[in-house]
Amino acid sequence: MKTWRDPFSNGNSGSPETIFGGQNIILMRLGEVLLSKAEALYKSGSESEAWDILNNVIRERAGLDPVPTTEDFMDVLLSEYRHELSGEFSLWFLLRRAGKHIEYVKEEFGINITNGKDILPIPKEVILNNATIEQNPGY
């Protein structure tokens, strides 16, 4: 919190401008909200609504031509995420959620991720404090 919150405000009084100070840090962007909505619609079965948001809102606002709906929606969506949110440290989690993280790392960087090494190990202290937790495979 110290990197985006004004250290001289107590957080209990004043307006939002006082709480957050003059630091202009982006916590969430419209592009991310729209892409997340399109993804949720697609995964819930509203494919035409998802394509509508992707082509007629996201790409149109960027001045880009629509993508043919014959393309694989998740591939197009992940490409849009990569362009819209480049450098914002959320791409890995989006790729994991889509199950495309191993493929992406191989294609983009030529690196093979060993089976089980695409997830982090559970810290030893957590396992010692709870006997029901088992270490992730590969560690």
Side-chain angles (χ1 to χ4, degrees), residues 61-132:
R61 91 183 223 283
L64 300 171
D65 292 331
V67 175
T69 57
T70 54
E71 300 283 329
D72 178 60
F73 182 83
M74 286 307 294
D75 287 342
V76 173
L77 183 76
L78 290 171
S79 176
E80 293 298 323
Y81 266 124
R82 287 194 293 262
H83 290 94
E84 190 75 36
L85 305 173
S86 62
E88 294 191 17
F89 312 112
S90 59
L91 179 60
W92 178 253
F93 302 104
L94 299 167
L95 290 168
R96 287 240 358 150
R97 185 171 70 229
K100 305 236 180 193
H101 56 294
I102 293 174
E103 173 187 331
Y104 176 78
V105 171
K106 179 156 178 67
E107 286 178 7
E108 294 294 320
F109 305 106
I111 298 171
N112 288 317
I113 299 176
T114 337
N115 191 23
K117 295 295 184 179
D118 61 325
I119 55 176
L120 297 172
I122 298 173
K124 186 176 181 179
E125 300 80 33
V126 173
I127 296 172
L128 291 174
N129 289 329
N130 187 340
T132 62

